[in-house]
Amino acid sequence: MKSVGIEDAIDPPCPYRLLLKCPLGLSPSQVSVVVNASYDRVPHPDVELENSISEIWERRTRENSSLFNGSKFRYGGHELEKGHSSEDEFCVCLRLGLTDYRTFVGTNLNVMWKKFLVPSEDDFIQCQHTASPLGNGAIVETVDKKIVLLQRSNHVGEFPGHFVFPGGHPEPQEIGLSTHLCGQDPTNFQTLNKKVSQEMFDSIMREVVEEIGVPLSFLCNPVFIGVSRRELNVRPTAFFFIKCKLDSKEVQELYSNALDGYESTQLFTVSMIELKNMANKMPGCHQGGFALYDLMVECTKEI
């Protein structure tokens, strides 16, 4: 039997890069978080490029008055951890900074986004000048072994009309975090990090409930399966696997009750073969999410 746990990964050129693969799936007790200003974005030394962030945001808000700035967690890498004995579980520690939607629009979504990158194979160094907010996505599997996909509305800002897994972002404001803690008791930092770690799992459940309309009581606890980053705009997304206690027909019937239904126009429940055929119509980060799920399925076969 091949030993499969957690792997750092750099994959060949494709629409995505798998930054972290956890094919066995990690529970909340195996995922910790460190929030620190050292993982915040570094301003770009090119003053004109840096000023374009404000210029783009001002233009976008004039064009769309409903746009608002909100804080986000910034992906700053990860550390792999394992206990001293062979029986100890693998764990991962996510390094997170703080950023906001305004900076995301002005860096990752800037038409000049490539100019913000630093030539490096190290993702943390390469993306140090981009906002890189950490998104999340869920591979939701029904009891009849179908996977839930959404087709994005033509009115959304990113990838209109594309197929995606349910998801969104973990939100700093959900735990009352707006700025970094400075000069406080170490216990406060530990408490904060535990809250953020829990928010990683709570947020994906909120997103699934809001986007597909399935009540929380019909969803099993999520497991973390890794981080994918799309090569276009270098946008990172954490992916989770969630088993649903309903069949595909029941999920379809509940979709009309979704609170965030305006972001999507249709819900699909598809087989693994159908999902493979639809993957090329997904944003790169979600193609990476499918790759992480595929790795999990193959790993399960080997156990």
Side-chain angles (χ1 to χ4, degrees), residues 62-135:
R62 283 197 303 268
E63 295 169 351
N64 184 354
S65 60
S66 65
L67 276 182
F68 68 94
N69 192 20
S71 61
K72 303 294 177 187
F73 290 109
R74 181 180 186 273
Y75 180 70
H78 64 271
E79 290 182 72
L80 304 181
E81 303 170 348
K82 191 182 185 302
H84 298 295
S85 70
S86 59
E87 289 79 20
D88 287 342
E89 295 179 318
F90 276 100
C91 299
V92 64
C93 178
L94 300 177
R95 302 167 175 166
L96 301 178
L98 292 176
T99 187
D100 55 33
Y101 185 67
R102 168 187 171 275
T103 312
F104 170 59
V105 170
T107 59
N108 295 81
L109 298 187
N110 192 323
V111 293
M112 299 183 292
W113 65 272
K114 289 184 179 179
K115 291 186 177 182
F116 283 95
L117 304 184
V118 176
S120 175
E121 284 299 313
D122 185 311
D123 182 75
F124 180 68
I125 295 173
Q126 183 186 32
C127 300
Q128 63 182 295
H129 300 308
T130 61
S132 298
L134 182 64

Side-chain angles (χ1 to χ4, degrees), residues 254-270:
L254 287 168
Y255 175 60
S256 60
N257 300 322
L259 296 177
D260 275 357
Y262 63 90
E263 291 188 1
S264 61
T265 57
Q266 196 169 352
L267 181 146
F268 299 86
T269 49
V270 300

Side-chain angles (χ1 to χ4, degrees), residues 2 35 44 53 56 66 87 99 105 123 150 218 224 241 243 265 280 303:
K2 186 166 65 176
V35 179
H44 199 282
I53 297 172
I56 289 171
S66 65
E87 289 79 20
T99 187
V105 170
D123 182 75
L150 297 170
F218 291 104
F224 175 68
F241 174 70
K243 286 190 175 182
T265 57
N280 64 352
I303 296 175

Side-chain angles (χ1 to χ4, degrees), residues 23-38:
L24 291 178
L26 303 185
S27 66
S29 66
Q30 294 172 274
V31 180
S32 61
V33 165
V34 171
V35 179
N36 194 284
S38 62

Side-chain angles (χ1 to χ4, degrees), residues 150-222:
L150 297 170
Q151 185 165 27
R152 287 173 66 77
S153 162
N154 288 323
H155 304 295
V156 295
E158 286 187 84
F159 292 93
H162 283 63
F163 298 120
V164 293
F165 297 111
H169 297 86
E171 302 288 356
Q173 58 265 32
E174 284 290 332
I175 57 169
L177 181 64
S178 57
T179 60
H180 287 289
L181 301 181
C182 298
Q184 298 196 26
D185 187 286
T187 304
N188 292 339
F189 290 100
Q190 294 171 7
T191 300
L192 170 65
N193 289 336
K194 287 180 180 179
K195 286 182 178 180
V196 176
S197 179
Q198 188 59 48
E199 170 62 10
M200 294 295 113
F201 287 83
D202 290 346
S203 61
I204 192 58
M205 296 294 272
R206 284 198 309 270
E207 296 288 358
V208 169
V209 170
E210 292 173 3
E211 292 195 353
I212 71 174
V214 171
L216 189 63
S217 59
F218 291 104
L219 298 172
C220 297
N221 293 330

